[in-house]
Amino acid sequence: MTTDGVFAQRGHHSLWDISAPGRSGVQLPDSDVPEQPMPNASLLREELRLPEVSELDVVRHYTRLAQKNFSVDTNFYPLGSCTMKYNPKINDMVASQPGFSGIHPLQPEETVQGALELMYRLQRDLQSITGMPAGSLAPLAGAHGELAGVLMIKAYHEARGEPHRKVMLIPDSAHGTNPASASMGGFEVVTLPSDINGILDIAAVEAAANDRLAGLMITIPNTLGLFNPNIAHICEIVHSAGGLVYGDGANMNALLGRARPYDLGFDVVHLNLHKTTSTPHGGGGPGAGPVCVGERLARYLPSPVVEMVEDTEGAQYRFATPTNSIGAMSAGHGNFGVLVRAYTYLRALGADGLRQASGDAVLNANYLRRKLEHAYRVAVDRTCMHEVVFTGRSQREKGVKALDISKRMIDYGVHPPTMYFPLIVEEALMVEPTETESKETLDAFIEVMTTIAREVDESPELLHEAPHVTPVGRLDEARAARQPDLRWQAP
Amino acid sequence: MPTPFPHSYLPHTEAQRREMIDAVGVSSVDELFADIPDAFRNPDITLPPALTELELLREIGGLAKRNAVPGEVPCFVGGGVYRHFIPSVVGAMISRGEFLTSYTPYQPEVSQGTLQATYEYQSMICEITAMEAANAGMYDGASSLAEAALMACRVTGRHSVIVHDTVNPRYRAVVDTYLVPQGVEVITVAPGGESISDATACVLTQYPDYFGAVRDLTPIADAAHEAGALLAVSADPVALGMFRAPGEFGADIVTGETQPIGVNMSFGGPFVGYFACRLSHIRQMPGRIAGRTVDHEGRIGYALTLQTREQHIRRERATSNICTSEALIATGTAVCLAALGPGGLRRMAELSYQKAHYVAAEIAALDSYEVVDNGPWFNEFVVRCPHTALETNAALWRRGIIGGIDAGSAVENGLLLSVTEMHTRAEIDALVSALREIAGKGAQ
């Protein structure tokens, strides 16, 4: 093998491949206390086969891995429903100050008043955005917030002596986390159909509104990127049957300063702070999923919530547990590092800035809809909110799948959109451009998508074999599932 | 329409907005929101005025400065969250934008970095726990333990779990939040007091336990297995740098918090719950999993796998609703473990052990204090004080020291203290002399 070959191959090496016994990437000081007797050897372990690498090995390994990722910092990333907006660097800078990153969750409250005040302010601001009178920052991700929400709904019905309310209605366009969360809360999931416009069918809600109804989980705007103009009426139907309405806030980026879930009739809504308030997604987390609620559910909020009390020394902040709390969602107080970033983002924009952000997000999606509707059919032909769902149905008829189109986008340096979701759209391509993308980026994207549409007719094999430029090609995912190789093993 | 708001996060110029509005075929951006009924459109939201970057640093930095920072002041609080050394490479690597600002690796060809890092994280979790398979991470150690109990219920088809009262009380609270609404019975007992029955899905225990003790788990594992139940252990991964791994005792599920390895304390999050199990139970495991496979040319590559367990495919029949987890933090733990290696992890554990045992010996030598004998222990211990933990902590804070956790419900006037390699001799000596002073002065 040539020297070039040796180095070219290194990108594929695992940490164990570059490991050598006796090497270390860290030095630790000697003990500065008198030596203490060690425990009985029967309690001590013998073997620990972690890789042994130098500090430079670690840096090169992870730098090379990083270079194999698309990210918002490197590529346009229009992944629908994931709201991949720019993550301002100031957010990370603020969160990494020792006064935030270095404090222990169980320090006495008097020693962490700054952190508590930040949480109090964020809680208040999120309540303002959603219109809700109460909230808790405790849930650690959107789906965690969903779980908190359904548990509150359950606690509410039980407290009212109606434990038989077991049915949770969920539209067929919903995120998969909705039914999974409802199931974890002990509910029976009933799926509701959408009408031909992709909007929840009111008649279906009416038909399901009986004394077994616990609630409705609904995403607003929905996963087709559409705002349901009947939403307030739907909330009334659910309420008059004795149920509550859960708002999946994953798409809240479209509504900032434009509509408040509380006004529409929602009883609880979670917010994905990593989406709406621009905290980095980190390859799949951390997120944060605070819940905001109406009066009916305030006493059931997960613990803790942050309270302010005024005394002679001024405002003091402390943790509190609502009277009928569903309990703790985690051992801590929420993903505080994410909360700091979210608060910093909200302060950077203010009310007018948020309103402009949602306006630009919606403008961008509609601009793409107009410019691409001839090349790819729009799933539902009407004004969309912050995301637009195309269907590759006509391309499919020519033997090219949404998957092929997505993989070809990679060759042009664009991260593929969300594919095959929502489930009710054939060959779905869900594009979410977000407000931080410039017109120049959108125009370049339009050109890429138009080119690909032409390639479908002229050279479909380019799409079938795409991507062509990545470190690996299409992976054998069937083999990954059939013969699971989930960890390194000693040869 | 209010005055347009020029902002560094929003790139459109007014001219561009106009051009795009025209292209869409509407008269204004506001018209795009026409589906929102008038009565609800454009509500007043009251937020404080926007700040520039310079002002943000001052304003929010001011809040940060109002917190007392462990390390800048001595602090002996543990209870599941510990201040250990974090090598500089950890922050340097996970602050790279390609890791920081990517999403879940749904498209493996452009996510090999995240996927390989996850696969290696899973491998290292398996090594330190002595288990066969691990997932990409859960929210935190507490939810990870709760999910372990739910998984045991799925595996055994049973609906009762036994929880030791030596498990972190904050973890036990989360177990209740998760399990009780699903109709699972949660029985809390002292270790050894189990009455495992044929209804028991699993025994949940902690290692080292909440009060610091390290015990041979073999008898508990044997008792559980004899009754057809599983053993799930929540373990401190730093302790596993020197003590036998739960997998060696026969544990079926091992969970815990990776925070002690490479993760800032950050007032309680974001952390990562690690989750490992036997290969035979893999299809009941919650959470994401990365696997190694090949591409069409036979090149090694990585992809998410076994996704038919997950909610985006299986919806209400998924193993869990967990979706976004803590991938970046898991990568941070992997970077830290790679840098530490087996020697570094062991040395970190031994230094913590040595310093903690020294502190305990010094406190035990004081009049009026007694170190509770829990058998062999790692880096955390309970002291019976002459005053309540509340009084002792308040008196310590008057002397600029953050003390420990109230363990009064288990031991009268008990104070749970934690020590790691980060504590200096000066901090240790300050704690010991402050405790001596407090004892003599009636907690003033």
Side-chain angles (χ1 to χ4, degrees):
Chain A
M1 191 182 284
T2 66
T3 310
D4 277 356
V6 170
F7 286 108
Q9 283 298 312
R10 292 202 61 172
H12 296 301
H13 286 174
S14 80
L15 277 169
W16 282 267
D17 294 327
I18 56 173
S19 167
R23 196 179 277 158
S24 178
V26 169
Q27 284 177 293
L28 288 163
D30 291 333
S31 175
D32 59 357
V33 299
E35 193 174 333
Q36 306 296 308
M38 288 294 278
N40 189 308
S42 69
L43 283 172
L44 299 179
R45 76 185 296 163
E46 286 164 11
E47 195 180 35
L48 189 59
R49 292 171 304 176
L50 293 171
E52 298 178 71
V53 293
S54 71
E55 183 171 331
L56 177 58
D57 288 334
V58 173
V59 171
R60 284 199 183 138
H61 180 72
Y62 284 98
T63 301
R64 286 198 177 111
L65 287 186
Q67 288 170 338
K68 294 181 182 179
N69 264 8
F70 272 21
S71 68
V72 176
D73 279 4
T74 52
N75 298 77
F76 181 41
Y77 213 117
L79 191 61
S81 228
C82 298
T83 312
M84 298 297 282
K85 60 172 82 174
Y86 170 63
N87 306 130
K89 299 303 172 191
I90 183 71
N91 297 353
D92 303 319
M93 168 87 87
V94 168
S96 63
Q97 297 175 97
F100 290 141
S101 68
I103 53 177
H104 193 291
L106 301 176
Q107 284 180 232
E109 288 170 358
E110 69 211 74
T111 68
V112 285
Q113 283 295 302
L116 281 161
E117 182 171 350
L118 183 144
M119 292 177 75
Y120 180 81
R121 291 187 193 178
L122 176 62
Q123 205 174 278
R124 186 198 55 195
D125 290 351
L126 297 179
Q127 285 167 28
S128 180
I129 289 166
T130 58
M132 299 280 186
S136 165
L137 306 173
L140 303 180
H144 211 214
E146 289 178 27
L147 179 60
V150 298
L151 292 178
M152 282 189 271
I153 291 173
K154 187 183 185 78
Y156 170 83
H157 290 310
E158 285 177 357
R160 287 163 54 93
E162 298 192 326
H164 56 275
R165 290 189 176 270
K166 291 278 190 203
V167 171
M168 192 64 80
L169 305 177
I170 301 179
D172 54 7
S173 61
H175 296 112
T177 48
N178 288 183
S181 298
S183 173
M184 280 185 84
F187 290 104
E188 297 163 25
V189 173
V190 172
T191 304
L192 293 180
S194 303
D195 67 17
I196 49 162
N197 292 317
I199 294 285
L200 176 60
D201 187 38
I202 294 187
V205 181
E206 274 170 343
N210 55 38
D211 63 359
R212 291 197 68 233
L213 178 63
L216 165 72
M217 296 181 84
I218 186 166
T219 308
I220 178 135
N222 74 6
T223 57
L224 278 154
L226 305 176
F227 187 90
N228 186 333
N230 306 317
I231 187 67
H233 181 47
I234 289 172
C235 291
E236 277 169 24
I237 296 170
V238 173
H239 286 154
S240 57
L244 297 182
V245 182
Y246 182 91
D248 178 335
N251 294 345
M252 192 65 196
N253 202 45
L255 296 185
L256 300 169
R258 306 284 175 172
R260 298 185 303 182
Y262 183 74
D263 301 340
L264 301 169
F266 285 81
D267 297 287
V268 48
V269 63
H270 84 258
L271 293 169
N272 300 71
L273 296 188
H274 50 292
K275 300 179 183 180
T276 315
T277 61
S278 186
T279 70
H281 292 55
V291 280
C292 293
V293 296
E295 293 84 355
R296 277 185 273 220
L297 292 180
R299 74 176 74 161
Y300 303 104
L301 281 168
S303 67
V305 296
V306 183
E307 286 180 349
M308 180 180 71
V309 281
E310 303 260 20
D311 65 13
T312 49
E313 290 169 33
Q316 301 290 317
Y317 300 88
R318 64 185 185 201
F319 287 119
T321 299
T323 47
N324 298 85
S325 174
I326 55 165
M329 303 294 294
S330 82
H333 322 299
N335 269 345
F336 180 74
V338 178
L339 303 180
V340 173
R341 289 170 172 85
Y343 180 69
T344 305
Y345 174 81
L346 292 179
R347 289 308 309 270
L349 285 174
D352 290 344
L354 290 180
R355 198 163 175 282
Q356 184 71 67
S358 63
D360 285 350
V362 172
L363 178 61
N364 284 1
N366 280 287
Y367 182 68
L368 293 184
R369 175 174 65 87
R370 270 284 182 251
K371 294 283 186 176
L372 290 172
E373 65 189 352
H374 302 296
Y376 303 87
R377 303 228 299 271
V378 181
V380 178
D381 186 17
R382 55 183 279 185
T383 302
C384 62
M385 298 297 274
H386 65 310
E387 60 197 6
V388 54
V389 180
F390 295 101
T391 166
R393 207 182 313 147
S394 60
Q395 283 81 10
R396 185 76 184 86
E397 284 159 14
K398 298 170 191 165
V400 173
K401 295 178 286 188
L403 176 76
D404 302 318
I405 295 168
S406 294
K407 297 300 185 192
R408 184 62 179 154
M409 290 165 73
I410 292 171
D411 286 335
Y412 292 101
V414 175
H415 192 282
T418 296
M419 310 177 300
Y420 301 103
F421 185 81
L423 306 176
I424 55 175
V425 175
E426 272 178 77
E427 299 294 319
L429 291 167
M430 182 203 270
V431 176
E432 182 178 4
T434 87
E435 71 279 5
T436 58
E437 296 301 332
S438 67
K439 180 171 179 295
E440 289 81 355
T441 300
L442 301 183
D443 287 338
F445 176 71
I446 290 159
E447 199 181 319
V448 164
M449 292 305 287
T450 311
T451 304
I452 292 175
R454 202 166 48 237
E455 288 174 349
V456 171
D457 295 324
E458 293 169 3
S459 39
E461 69 286 352
L462 270 180
L463 285 86
H464 293 139
E465 288 160 18
H468 302 270
V469 298
T470 46
V472 291
R474 286 196 206 180
L475 290 152
D476 188 344
E477 296 188 34
R479 169 175 150 150
R482 265 202 309 273
Q483 304 166 40
D485 173 356
L486 311 177
R487 57 165 298 196
W488 174 87
Q489 309 239 34
Chain B
M1 178 102 192
T3 313
F5 188 85
H7 197 284
S8 53
Y9 305 166
L10 304 173
H12 294 336
T13 65
E14 265 316 289
Q16 287 178 321
R17 277 196 190 101
R18 191 69 250 165
E19 205 182 320
M20 293 168 71
I21 289 166
D22 291 344
V24 172
V26 289
S27 60
S28 68
V29 167
D30 213 37
E31 198 181 320
L32 297 171
F33 290 87
D35 278 343
I36 302 173
D38 286 345
F40 307 121
R41 206 183 322 154
N42 298 333
D44 276 334
I45 56 171
T46 47
L47 293 182
L51 299 177
T52 62
E53 183 168 347
L54 175 63
E55 293 165 318
L56 287 173
L57 276 175
R58 276 190 202 133
E59 167 84 16
I60 307 181
L63 292 174
K65 290 196 186 77
R66 286 175 49 206
N67 303 318
V69 184
E72 292 174 12
V73 298
C75 172
F76 297 89
V77 178
V81 180
Y82 307 96
R83 191 167 68 95
H84 285 286
F85 180 64
I86 303 177
S88 315
V89 288
V90 175
M93 292 299 101
I94 66 171
S95 60
R96 284 192 66 104
E98 305 96 321
F99 282 130
L100 187 66
T101 71
S102 55
Y103 201 69
T104 302
Y106 293 130
Q107 299 286 343
E109 299 88 346
V110 290
S111 312
Q112 285 298 298
T114 293
L115 286 161
Q116 186 175 337
T118 302
Y119 176 88
E120 292 179 353
Y121 160 84
Q122 290 169 186
S123 303
M124 290 193 266
I125 293 298
C126 288
E127 289 297 333
I128 61 176
T129 56
M131 298 300 285
E132 293 167 345
N135 72 13
M138 309 293 286
Y139 299 129
D140 74 341
S143 58
S144 200
L145 184 63
E147 292 267 16
L150 290 174
M151 175 172 152
C153 292
R154 289 191 295 275
V155 168
T156 60
R158 300 173 177 184
H159 296 91
S160 177
V161 302
I162 291 173
V163 187
H164 285 162
D165 64 2
T166 50
V167 171
N168 188 325
R170 286 167 295 281
Y171 283 33
R172 282 190 273 137
V174 176
V175 167
D176 284 345
T177 304
Y178 269 65
L179 270 63
V180 174
Q182 297 203 51
V184 179
E185 179 186 37
V186 180
I187 302 167
T188 306
V189 298
E194 296 88 348
S195 49
I196 305 177
S197 72
D198 57 10
T200 308
C202 67
V203 177
L204 303 178
T205 195
Q206 185 172 319
Y207 176 88
D209 75 19
Y210 184 63
F211 306 103
V214 180
R215 291 201 182 82
D216 182 349
L217 302 178
T218 314
I220 303 171
D222 291 348
H225 292 156
E226 226 161 88
L230 307 186
L231 174 64
V233 181
S234 177
D236 172 2
V238 173
L240 302 186
M242 65 183 280
F243 290 101
R244 284 178 68 191
E248 296 177 48
F249 295 120
D252 301 284
I253 307 172
V254 185
T255 66
E257 180 60 72
T258 77
Q259 179 277 326
I261 301 181
V263 185
N264 283 310
M265 297 197 290
S266 284
F267 205 37
F271 294 166
V272 190
Y274 73 80
F275 195 111
C277 69
R278 303 268 163 223
L279 202 52
S280 52
H281 297 149
I282 188 83
R283 284 170 205 276
Q284 293 301 333
M285 185 155 73
R288 284 201 179 105
I289 305 173
R292 187 162 69 166
T293 182
V294 293
D295 72 0
H296 58 285
E297 288 179 24
R299 290 175 293 201
I300 287 172
Y302 302 83
L304 293 179
T305 192
L306 302 175
Q307 293 184 75
T308 49
R309 303 164 301 112
E310 292 188 72
Q311 68 303 123
H312 64 275
I313 291 179
R314 222 166 141 76
R315 299 179 82 82
E316 69 267 26
R317 290 181 305 281
T319 51
S320 164
N321 75 334
I322 186 167
C323 184
T324 288
S325 57
E326 313 287 332
L328 183 77
I329 316 296
T331 298
T333 287
V335 174
C336 190
L337 277 173
L340 285 169
L345 187 60
R346 182 157 197 131
R347 186 164 176 80
M348 184 180 270
E350 285 180 357
L351 281 170
S352 301
Y353 175 94
Q354 287 285 325
K355 293 200 180 201
H357 281 71
Y358 170 70
V359 177
E362 292 286 295
I363 293 173
L366 296 176
D367 289 341
S368 329
Y369 292 89
E370 184 194 340
V371 173
V372 175
D373 184 1
N374 256 334
W377 57 282
F378 176 43
N379 72 329
E380 219 162 3
F381 57 100
V382 178
V383 179
R384 190 177 280 117
C385 301
H387 312 289
T388 66
L390 195 68
E391 291 163 342
T392 306
N393 278 335
L396 285 171
W397 181 234
R398 278 192 288 277
R399 289 162 178 79
I401 297 170
I402 298 174
I405 296 173
D406 189 343
S409 60
V411 173
E412 195 188 354
N413 289 351
L415 187 66
L416 180 65
L417 296 173
S418 162
V419 183
T420 72
E421 80 283 358
M422 298 298 279
H423 289 92
T424 62
R425 179 73 179 261
E427 287 179 325
I428 290 167
D429 292 344
L431 172 70
V432 174
S433 68
L435 286 174
R436 182 188 297 116
E437 216 177 288
I438 293 164
K441 288 190 176 175
Q444 286 307 297

